[in-house]
Amino acid sequence: MRRCLYLLIPVCVLHAHAQNLVTNPSFEKRDGKEILGWHWTGGLSKATCELDEAVSRSGRTSICIKNPTARKAHVFGTLVQSVRVQPNKRYTVSCYVRTPQGAAAWI
């Protein structure tokens, strides 16, 4: 059975102003299968990252990350985005994650 980890609407907000600093936070802007503003790599794993329009929180899409690789060191995928921040300011990073019952999610 393949388990799917859904990443729903990641948000990086400036604490004082509640301004979202993430580009394409709901993953709805894309060019084909490429999610604009985000970079995916499966690393040493067989992990995949796909858009899912059947599951969402407040937009139309989410990200479904599947990793059938046996659990051991360095077998994970990464979905990243660089965000500009200023020194000595407080930021909050948050996201919504849905996993199958009992599954782990590493953020």
Side-chain angles (χ1 to χ4, degrees), residues 1-57:
M1 179 173 142
R2 296 182 114 184
R3 293 187 173 172
C4 186
L5 165 75
Y6 287 96
L7 188 56
L8 306 170
I9 312 166
V11 180
C12 177
V13 295
L14 182 62
H15 184 70
H17 303 296
Q19 174 189 1
N20 193 338
L21 302 178
V22 174
T23 301
N24 193 17
S26 60
F27 311 113
E28 294 181 10
K29 295 176 185 171
R30 55 189 159 198
D31 183 10
K33 289 188 174 187
E34 181 182 344
I35 307 157
L36 298 178
W38 295 91
H39 176 72
W40 165 259
T41 180
L44 299 174
S45 73
K46 296 177 184 174
T48 60
C49 176
E50 298 175 350
L51 290 167
D52 189 333
E53 294 180 348
V55 176
S56 67
R57 185 169 191 281

Side-chain angles (χ1 to χ4, degrees), residues 76-88:
F76 53 86
T78 57
L79 182 66
V80 297
Q81 180 179 130
S82 295
V83 177
R84 286 185 187 254
V85 295
Q86 296 179 8
N88 303 314

